[in-house]
Amino acid sequence: MCLFLRLGSGSCLNHKHHGSATFLIFFLRKYTKAEKNIITILSFIHTFADYLHRTLSYSPIHFHLFFHLKQIFMRKMFLFIMIAGTLAACNHDTKVADSSETKDVKPAVPLPYKLAYSSSFEMGNPEYSAMILQGSWKDWENNTMDNMKSWVADTILAFHSDNSMIKGVDSLTARWKRGRAGYTSVIDTVHSVVPLYSTDKKENWVLVWATEINTDTKGTIDTMDLMETWRINKDGKADRLYQYDRHTRKK
């Protein structure tokens, strides 16, 4: 939409201001929804200009008065439109900001139990997921567990699925090496890994769901579904393990 203020013969009022007026209308159309109001204002300006043209003579005094009033009127009108457009744009930005801030807010859901540890979790550090999958799964599968001290804390406390409890990284390393020596082949399929962060306890955890197929020295194949829950300490090392499994043995 282009702005033309017609006076007398209908020619453009001032060619120098034509580009500015066009930009102003483009700005208002983009950032406000008041196009109908703008068209009404412009129609009023056009009607008022035609009225002055019909009623005033072309004497120097009248022409000077008309030109002076026209300058004042147009400056104030442009100022009014610019202020209205700015306020509308600010109001639009505020509504967008408010909606983006509130759309993720979810109401609290009452639980039938009081949770002993925490119910406040968010997604954690994905680097801890990579660390656990490499150390607890890939190194076990490849029988390369000599680097356990690089990712396991000295104070590790591990609860295995056979109800055994191991303390310390040296004891855990020895236990895993003995267990891995009993298999000629290990094939792991990891279904999912989820890093979590407890916002109230300020602790990092990694959850792993997987299936493992072991072949022992006698050729017996043992398939089990495993779930491991690892806690990561402030030094970025695993210091707690909870392991659970479900066996499906093939005879």
Side-chain angles (χ1 to χ4, degrees), residues 32 72 79 110 117 128-129 137 144 153 167 176 198 222 233 239:
T32 72
I72 296 176
L79 179 61
Y117 174 72
Y128 293 146
S129 296
W137 294 89
T144 55
K167 293 181 180 181
W176 281 24
S198 173
D222 185 13
N233 65 14
D239 68 348

Side-chain angles (χ1 to χ4, degrees), residues 135-148:
S136 179
W137 294 89
K138 183 59 68 175
D139 286 348
W140 167 266
E141 185 178 14
N142 296 335
N143 198 14
T144 55
M145 290 168 287
D146 291 330
N147 62 342
M148 286 189 69

Side-chain angles (χ1 to χ4, degrees), residues 51-135:
Y51 170 77
L52 291 179
H53 174 69
R54 291 193 301 268
T55 55
L56 293 179
S57 65
Y58 285 99
S59 66
I61 297 177
H62 287 166
F63 180 80
H64 177 74
L65 175 62
F66 172 76
F67 184 78
H68 180 68
L69 291 175
K70 180 252 313 180
Q71 292 283 348
I72 296 176
F73 181 78
M74 289 306 302
R75 282 198 297 267
K76 291 185 176 181
M77 184 58 63
F78 276 128
L79 179 61
F80 169 76
I81 296 175
M82 291 181 68
I83 293 175
T86 302
L87 292 176
C90 292
N91 185 48
H92 174 72
D93 293 340
T94 303
K95 290 181 179 178
V96 171
D98 292 341
S99 62
S100 63
E101 291 175 358
T102 59
K103 66 179 181 180
D104 293 332
V105 176
K106 297 180 180 179
V109 177
L111 300 176
Y113 290 94
K114 181 180 180 180
L115 303 184
Y117 174 72
S118 173
S119 63
S120 179
F121 284 93
E122 64 183 19
M123 294 303 296
N125 189 345
E127 293 182 359
Y128 293 146
S129 296
M131 180 184 72
I132 294 300
L133 290 184
Q134 178 62 46

